C-alpha cells in the first residue's frame, strides 16, 4: 500500500471521527442554545422583545405539520402577524397547524394580557385550507373586524382579530 | 368556563421522539469502525481485510437490534447515548483486532500461556451479550423507580460482589476477579451500577437530614456526628477494598461516586472538601504500607528511573513513550508500536494504542465521546422529574466519568495507574456487559424524563381574566 494512500486514510479517519463528534454536538445544540424562534417583525418594538421571547411557537410541531400539510393554495395567508398589543411585531408561520391563543402557557401564542382568557380562541384551517377563527368561550369575546364572534368564522386576508388588547391579522 | 375542558388538548405539542436522528447517527457510528477496520487491514497487509463484511454486518446487526428495542420500549429516549456507545464499542473491537494481529503479542501469549487466542472474536461475542443485556434491561425495566424498592437489597448485593474477589486468588497483583467454571468475572464492574442504585435510594430519603442539620463553621457546613456515619462507612469500605484487594481503581470509584452523589443530593460543598481530604488521607495512608500500591505510586512519580528494573514502571514508561511517538496526528491505524507494552495492551492500556496511532487528535475525540455520554447522563438527570431518577442518572454517569478518568489518567501518568478498563473500548467481558446495562438504565431514565407530561389540569392560571365593562 502506498504511503500516500495510508496518509490520506489516516487523516481521513481522524476527520470522520471528529465529524461524528461535531454531528453529535449539533444534535444536542438545542440543549445549549434553546429552541430557535422564527422571524420577528419590525424593529420598532425593540424594548418589548424580552416579553416576546416567552412565546416560542413550538418549531418541532410546525416542521412536522409542514411535511404532512401538503401544498398551500394560491393566495392563502402564509403568516399570522400581531399588529397591536404587547406582542406587536410577532409573526407565526401558518403551516396547517392549529394556533391557540390565550394566557395558558401551552398556547401557541401566549398572550400577556389581563383581558384575555387562558384559552381564548383558536385559528385553524378547515378541509379546504380556509383559515377559521373560533372563540373558545372567552370572558371578553373575540372580535373579527367589529363583530363579536358567536360561531367559527372564516378569516379574510388582513381582517383584524381583536382579543383583549391584542390585534392579530393574517397576511400573505 | 365549561368550554375550557373541551379545549385542553388543542395546544398539546407532541415532543419529537428523535428516533430517526438516532438511526442516522447509528448508521454513522457503524460506518466509522468499518472504515477503521479497512484502514488497519490496508496498513498491515496491504489488502482489504477478509472479515470486513462480516464484521460490519455483525456490528450493524447489533446496532439495529438495539435501535429497534429502543424504538419499541423507550420511544422518547435520548438520541445520542446509543450511537455513542455503539461507536466506542465498535472502535474498541477494531483496536483489539488490530492488537491481535501483532506478531509481538502473539509470541508473548505463546510464551506465557502456550497458545494464542484472539481477543477480538471473544469481544464481539461479549458485545452481542452486552447488547442483549441492554435490550433485556429496556424490556424488563419498565420504570426505573422500581429499582428504588431494592435500595437495601442492592446494598447487600453490592457488598457481596465487592467482597467476593477476596476469596479468589490474585491475578496480576490485584484481587478483582472471580473465576467460575472457566469464566473470569470482574464483579466490581457490576457492583458500580448496583451501588449507584443503593446510594440514590438512600440519599433520596436522607438528603434533608444530611443537608439541613449542620452547623456553619469557617464558611463550611459541618454535618452532625451521627450524619457522618454513612460517609465514614463507605470510606472504611473503600479503604478495606484497597488493602485486601489492592485495587485502587475500584476503591476510588466507589468513594468518588459516593461523594459526588452526596454533593448532588445535599448541595453542600463541605462534602466535597471532606471527601477529598479523606480520600487523600486514606490513599496516602495505604500507600505507605501496601507494597503493591507503593510500586504503582513509584511508577507514577518517575517511571523512567526504575524503567529497567520494575514491571510497573516499564508499563507506564512504555505508555508515555507510546503517547509521545503518536504526536498530534498519530502514526495511522495499524502502524504504531503500542504492542510493545505487551501485557494488557488491549485491556487497561488500550488508550495508548489510540494515542499512538490516532495521536492527540484521536485521543481527544475519544475523550469527547466519553464526555458526551457523561453529558447526556447529566442532562438526563436534569430533565428527570423524580428525585430518585435524578440521583440515579447522576450516579451512573459520574461512575462512568470517574472510571474514564481513573483509567485514562492512570495510563497518561496523571494519577497512579490502577487496574480498570476503559468502558466499551478495552477487552473484557464484564466491563462491556456492565456498561451496556448502565447505558440501558440511562436510556430508560431519559425516556421517562423526556416523555411528554400528561396534559395539565384545566386553567392552571392563578389570576382571573378581567372583564371589560361596557
Amino acid at each position: 500500500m502506498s504511503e500516500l494512500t495510508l496518509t490520506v486514510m489516516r487523516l481521513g479517519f481522524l476527520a470522520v471521527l471528529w465529524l461524528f463528534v461535531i454531528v453529535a454536538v449539533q444534535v444536542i445544540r438545542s440543549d445549549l442554545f434553546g429552541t430557535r424562534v422564527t422571524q420577528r417583525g419590525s424593529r420598532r418594538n425593540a424594548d418589548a422583545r424580552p416579553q416576546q421571547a416567552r412565546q416560542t411557537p413550538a418549531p418541532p410541531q410546525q416542521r412536522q405539520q409542514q411535511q404532512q400539510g401538503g401544498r398551500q393554495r394560491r393566495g392563502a395567508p402564509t403568516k399570522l402577524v400581531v399588529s397591536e398589543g404587547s406582542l406587536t411585531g410577532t409573526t407565526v408561520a401558518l403551516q396547517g397547524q392549529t394556533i391557540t391563543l390565550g394566557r395558558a402557557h401551552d398556547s401557541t401564542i401566549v398572550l400577556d394580557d389581563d383581558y384575555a382568557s387562558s384559552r381564548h380562541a383558536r385559528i385553524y384551517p378547515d378541509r379546504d385550507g380556509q383559515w377559521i377563527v373560533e372563540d373558545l368561550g372567552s370572558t371578553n369575546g373575540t372580535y373579527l373586524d367589529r363583530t363579536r364572534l358567536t360561531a367559527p368564522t372564516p378569516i379574510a386576508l388582513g381582517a383584524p382579530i381583536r382579543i383583549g388588547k391584542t390585534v392579530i391579522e393574517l397576511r400573505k | 368556563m365549561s368550554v375550557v375542558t373541551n379545549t385542553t388538548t388543542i395546544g398539546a405539542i407532541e415532543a419529537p421522539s428523535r428516533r430517526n436522528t438516532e438511526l442516522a447517527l447509528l448508521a454513522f457510528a457503524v460506518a466509522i469502525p468499518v472504515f477503521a477496520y479497512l484502514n488497519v487491514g490496508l496498513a498491515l497487509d496491504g489488502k482489504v481485510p477478509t472479515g470486513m463484511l462480516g464484521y460490519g454486518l455483525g456490528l450493524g446487526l447489533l446496532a439495529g437490534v438495539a435501535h429497534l428495542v429502543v424504538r419499541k420500549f423507550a420511544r422518547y429516549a435520548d438520541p445520542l447515548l446509543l450511537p455513542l456507545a455503539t461507536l466506542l464499542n465498535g472502535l474498541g473491537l477494531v483496536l483489539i483486532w488490530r492488537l491481535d494481529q501483532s506478531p509481538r503479542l502473539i509470541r508473548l501469549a505463546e510464551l506465557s500461556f502456550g497458545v494464542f487466542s484472539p481477543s477480538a472474536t471473544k469481544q464481539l461475542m461479549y458485545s452481542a451479550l452486552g447488547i442483549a443485556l441492554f435490550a433485556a434491561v429496556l424490556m424488563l425495566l419498565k420504570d426505573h423507580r422500581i429499582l428504588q424498592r431494592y435500595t437495601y437489597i442492592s446494598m447487600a448485593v453490592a457488598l457481596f460482589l465487592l467482597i467476593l474477589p477476596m476469596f479468589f486468588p490474585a491475578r496480576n497483583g490485584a484481587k478483582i476477579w472471580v473465576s467460575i467454571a472457566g469464566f473470569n468475572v470482574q464483579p466490581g464492574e457490576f457492583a458500580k451500577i448496583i451501588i449507584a442504585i443503593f446510594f440514590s435510594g438512600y440519599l433520596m430519603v436522607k438528603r434533608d437530614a444530611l443537608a439541613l442539620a449542620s452547623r456553619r463553621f469557617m464558611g463550611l457546613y459541618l454535618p452532625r456526628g451521627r450524619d457522618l456515619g454513612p460517609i465514614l462507612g463507605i470510606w472504611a469500605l473503600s479503604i478495606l477494598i484497597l488493602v485486601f484487594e489492592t485495587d485502587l481503581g475500584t476503591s476510588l470509584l466507589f468513594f468518588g461516586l459516593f461523594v459526588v452523589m452526596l454533593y448532588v443530593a445535599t448541595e453542600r460543598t463541605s462534602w466535597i472538601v471532606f471527601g477529598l481530604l479523606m480520600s487523600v488521607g486514606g490513599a496516602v495512608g495505604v500507600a505507605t504500607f501496601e507494597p503493591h500500591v507503593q510500586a504503582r505510586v513509584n511508577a507514577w512519580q518517575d517511571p523512567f528511573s526504575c524503567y529497567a528494573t520494575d514491571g510497573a514502571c516499564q508499563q507506564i514508561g512504555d505508555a508515555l513513550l507510546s503517547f509521545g511517538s503518536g504526536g498530534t496526528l498519530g502514526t495511522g491505524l495499524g502502524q504504531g508500536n503500542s504492542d510493545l507494552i505487551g501485557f494488557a495492551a488491549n485491556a487497561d492500556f488500550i488508550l495508548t494504542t489510540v494515542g499512538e496511532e490516532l495521536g492527540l487528535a484521536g485521543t481527544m475525540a475519544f475523550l469527547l465521546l466519553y464526555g458526551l455520554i457523561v453529558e447526556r447522563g447529566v442532562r438526563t438527570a436534569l430533565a428527570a422529574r423524580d428525585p430518585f431518577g435524578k440521583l440515579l442518572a447522576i450516579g451512573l454517569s459520574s461512575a462512568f466519568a470517574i472510571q474514564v478518568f481513573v483509567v485514562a489518567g492512570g495510563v497518561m501518568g496523571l494519577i497512579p495507574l490502577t487496574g480498570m478498563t476503559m468502558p466499551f473500548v478495552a477487552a473484557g467481558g464484564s466491563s462491556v456487559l456492565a456498561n451496556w446495562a448502565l447505558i440501558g438504565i440511562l436510556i430508560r431514565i431519559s425516556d421517562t424524563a423526556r416523555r411528554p407530561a400528561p396534559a395539565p389540569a384545566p386553567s392552571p392560571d392563578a389570576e382571573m381574566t378581567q372583564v371589560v365593562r361596557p
Side-chain angles (χ1 to χ4, degrees), chain A residues 1 9-10 13-14 16 18 20 23-24 27-28 31 58 100 103 106 114-117 119 122 136 139-140, chain B residues 7 10 13 18 32 35-36 39 42 80 87 329-332 358 361 368 376 379 461 463 465-468:
Chain A
M1 210 22 60
M9 285 197 87
R10 168 167 71 104
F13 182 73
L14 285 177
V16 169
W18 275 96
F20 184 88
V23 168
V27 167
I28 55 170
D31 284 357
T100 55
R103 281 192 297 125
D106 54 350
D114 289 346
Y115 294 98
S117 297
R119 291 174 206 287
R122 63 170 170 168
L136 299 172
T139 311
N140 294 321
Chain B
T7 60
I10 289 176
I13 294 159
R18 312 204 74 178
I32 295 177
F35 183 36
N39 212 332
L42 285 179
L80 273 189
L87 176 61
L329 294 173
T331 57
L358 299 174
L368 268 179
R376 291 330 284 164
R379 182 75 206 175
D461 303 49
E463 312 162 51
T465 307
Q466 289 191 35
V467 180
V468 178

Side-chain angles (χ1 to χ4, degrees), chain A residues 13-167:
Chain A
F13 182 73
L14 285 177
V16 169
L17 200 58
W18 275 96
L19 185 67
F20 184 88
V21 172
I22 291 164
V23 168
V25 171
Q26 284 295 313
V27 167
I28 55 170
R29 188 191 54 214
S30 60
D31 284 357
L32 303 174
F33 302 109
T35 40
R36 189 177 297 236
V37 177
T38 44
Q39 77 273 32
R40 282 282 143 75
S42 61
R43 300 184 47 159
R44 279 181 293 144
N45 284 34
D47 49 355
R49 286 298 133 84
Q51 291 182 327
Q52 296 176 9
R54 285 197 298 160
Q55 47 87 48
T56 314
Q61 190 200 21
Q62 287 182 4
R63 254 178 263 133
Q64 278 180 359
Q65 296 278 0
Q66 192 176 16
Q67 287 152 7
Q68 294 156 10
R71 287 196 319 128
Q72 284 180 340
R73 295 189 312 168
R74 273 171 177 279
T78 57
K79 61 185 176 184
L80 179 153
V81 181
V82 179
S83 54
E84 263 181 60
S86 58
L87 298 176
T88 305
T90 308
T91 60
V92 174
L94 296 174
Q95 283 156 344
Q97 83 279 34
T98 298
I99 293 171
T100 55
L101 301 120
R103 281 192 297 125
H105 297 296
D106 54 350
S107 309
T108 316
I109 297 182
V110 180
L111 299 171
D112 184 19
D113 187 339
D114 289 346
Y115 294 98
S117 297
S118 38
R119 291 174 206 287
H120 198 107
R122 63 170 170 168
I123 294 174
Y124 60 93
D126 68 3
R127 272 192 215 105
D128 310 326
Q130 172 65 47
W131 288 87
I132 309 284
V133 58
E134 181 184 8
D135 186 74
L136 299 172
S138 63
T139 311
N140 294 321
T142 305
Y143 293 82
L144 182 62
D145 277 334
R146 300 222 153 240
T147 49
R148 183 165 175 165
L149 295 179
T150 51
T153 313
I155 315 167
L157 213 59
I161 301 163
R162 178 177 287 276
I163 292 170
K165 292 183 214 157
T166 308
V167 175

